[in-house]
Amino acid sequence: MRFALLAALAAPFLFAGSVSAHEVKAGTLVLTDLWARATPPGAVAGGGFMTITNTGDQPDRLVMFASPVAETGEVHEMKVEDGVMTMRPLADGLEIPAHGSVTLAPGGYHIMFINLKEPIVAGTDVPVTLTFENAGAVDTVLHAQPIGAPGPAGGHDGMDMGGDMNKGHTQ
Ligand SMILES: [Cu+2]
């Protein structure tokens, strides 16, 4: 009986495994909706996304990203220039304004896994380290969503972005 009761209690948490279930606090920052997009076998790059809210009076910056599943990581901006979707590393990092929030999402800001050592598999948690100028290094996980998933912030450019990512980072 006790086991059955525990199972019943646990079930809602198990099924609440959505991307918003997990929240990370670091200094004045709160990280939510932490997710990554699954990659097909052989893909060299992948994208990670989240919302970062700054409750403090000082701006902070996401300056570095690393993960054991990739050789390197970069903080990227994606936008349309002259009708072409391009992306580039943010040399000074990504600013999180004081009392503001920034959402990393497909088609916009993202963290980029470069030279993946293994595919990102949907349903798994991908370990990452995010380094902020003020809040310091934050170790957490991204919940991997299916290939092409638009994620919690929407977007319909899933497959296009995957193609661009591969082109952008293949020598
Ligand atoms: Cu990128």
Side-chain angles (χ1 to χ4, degrees), residues 34-37 39 44-50 62-75 110-121 124-131 137-144:
L34 294 132
W35 68 287
R37 207 181 243 163
T39 57
V44 295
F49 314 99
M50 71 196 69
L62 172 59
V63 290
M64 254 177 10
F65 155 61
S67 170
V69 305
E71 277 178 26
T72 44
E74 290 180 355
V75 183
H110 56 280
I111 51 176
M112 190 100 188
F113 298 85
I114 296 170
N115 292 334
L116 284 166
K117 297 174 188 169
E118 54 192 87
I120 296 173
V121 179
T124 63
D125 285 344
V126 183
V128 295
T129 302
L130 304 163
T131 305
V138 179
D139 291 317
T140 184
V141 295
L142 307 183
H143 305 296

Side-chain angles (χ1 to χ4, degrees), residues 5-164:
L5 179 60
L6 281 175
L9 285 173
F13 294 101
L14 291 177
F15 290 109
S18 71
V19 291
S20 57
H22 165 217
E23 178 179 297
V24 180
K25 290 200 167 81
T28 64
L29 303 179
V30 184
L31 282 51
T32 51
D33 290 338
L34 294 132
W35 68 287
R37 207 181 243 163
T39 57
V44 295
F49 314 99
M50 71 196 69
T51 296
I52 306 169
T53 301
N54 186 356
T55 62
D57 296 327
Q58 300 295 325
D60 205 341
R61 301 184 94 79
L62 172 59
V63 290
M64 254 177 10
F65 155 61
S67 170
V69 305
E71 277 178 26
T72 44
E74 290 180 355
V75 183
H76 274 194
E77 174 183 39
M78 176 176 273
K79 60 181 176 188
V80 176
E81 278 172 0
D82 299 328
V84 180
M85 188 76 103
T86 58
M87 65 178 174
R88 62 185 179 90
L90 290 168
D92 299 322
L94 174 60
E95 180 172 292
I96 319 299
H99 302 289
S101 102
V102 174
T103 295
L104 287 72
Y109 298 123
H110 56 280
I111 51 176
M112 190 100 188
F113 298 85
I114 296 170
N115 292 334
L116 284 166
K117 297 174 188 169
E118 54 192 87
I120 296 173
V121 179
T124 63
D125 285 344
V126 183
V128 295
T129 302
L130 304 163
T131 305
F132 295 91
E133 204 166 70
N134 298 329
V138 179
D139 291 317
T140 184
V141 295
L142 307 183
H143 305 296
Q145 305 295 308
I147 292 172
H156 304 280
D157 58 336
M159 299 316 285
D160 291 346
M161 183 183 173
D164 287 342

